[in-house]
Amino acid sequence: MEPRKLELSDKEWRKKLTPAQYAILRERGTERAFTGGYVDTKLPGVYRCAGCGTELFRSDAKYDSGSGWPSFVEPSTLEAVETRLDQSHGMARMEVLCATCGGHLGHVFDDGPKPSGKRFCINSCALDLESRDDD
Ligand code: FE
């Protein structure tokens, strides 16, 4: 694994992030289903990492999975995210991380719609939507 492009100390992360963002991104937490700010969002734009600002997902790839978390069929680019096996909580899941800062984003499952068949199940708190209406 290559070194992260953004490396901050724990103290710096605590300062930069809100407590909710810190719990997800740095402590691999999960927000409760249907509580995140972007679950039902359909605005066009780009979802950036709440930790480092890197573009991670596009609104075009977002779909309503009914899971209670923002769901995407694919990341913006293959390089934007990393996956690794997560065997916590007695399950074998693929964890999704921001490739730039190593922040925990969520998990990816194989029950997404075709053609990718992937469901990137991502915490709202790990994302920052840059709505196209902003500019
Ligand atoms: Fe990041």
Side-chain angles (χ1 to χ4, degrees):
M1 201 180 286
E2 284 184 38
R4 303 283 177 206
K5 288 182 208 109
L6 180 67
E7 295 266 12
L8 296 182
S9 70
D10 185 59
K11 199 177 165 187
E12 288 167 323
W13 280 122
R14 282 187 188 277
K15 208 170 158 184
K16 186 176 167 77
L17 303 174
T18 66
Q21 289 170 334
Y22 182 89
I24 306 290
L25 288 163
R26 308 313 309 179
E27 297 185 311
R28 304 169 73 203
T30 302
E31 65 201 11
R32 279 181 296 126
F34 300 103
T35 63
Y38 295 134
V39 177
D40 297 319
T41 304
K42 293 189 167 60
L43 289 172
V46 157
Y47 289 86
R48 297 184 178 279
C49 176
C52 71
T54 300
E55 177 181 330
L56 299 175
F57 298 97
R58 297 196 185 115
S59 55
D60 306 359
K62 192 172 188 289
Y63 76 103
D64 190 4
S65 68
S67 68
W69 290 277
S71 301
F72 302 87
V73 294
E74 62 184 7
S76 289
T77 65
L78 287 176
E79 298 76 35
V81 299
E82 278 174 13
T83 55
R84 71 177 175 202
L85 184 62
D86 170 12
Q87 300 197 81
S88 65
H89 305 286
M91 294 177 271
R93 296 176 295 171
M94 290 307 290
E95 180 184 6
V96 183
L97 304 106
C98 171
T100 303
C101 72
H104 170 84
L105 305 172
H107 292 87
V108 58
F109 302 94
D110 289 325
D111 58 10
K114 286 176 182 174
S116 82
K118 298 289 181 190
R119 170 170 59 100
F120 286 80
C121 184
I122 305 299
N123 290 284
S124 294
C125 259
L127 300 173
D128 248 333
L129 173 60
E130 185 181 281
S131 166
R132 228 170 273 151
D133 304 335
D134 288 352
D135 30 67

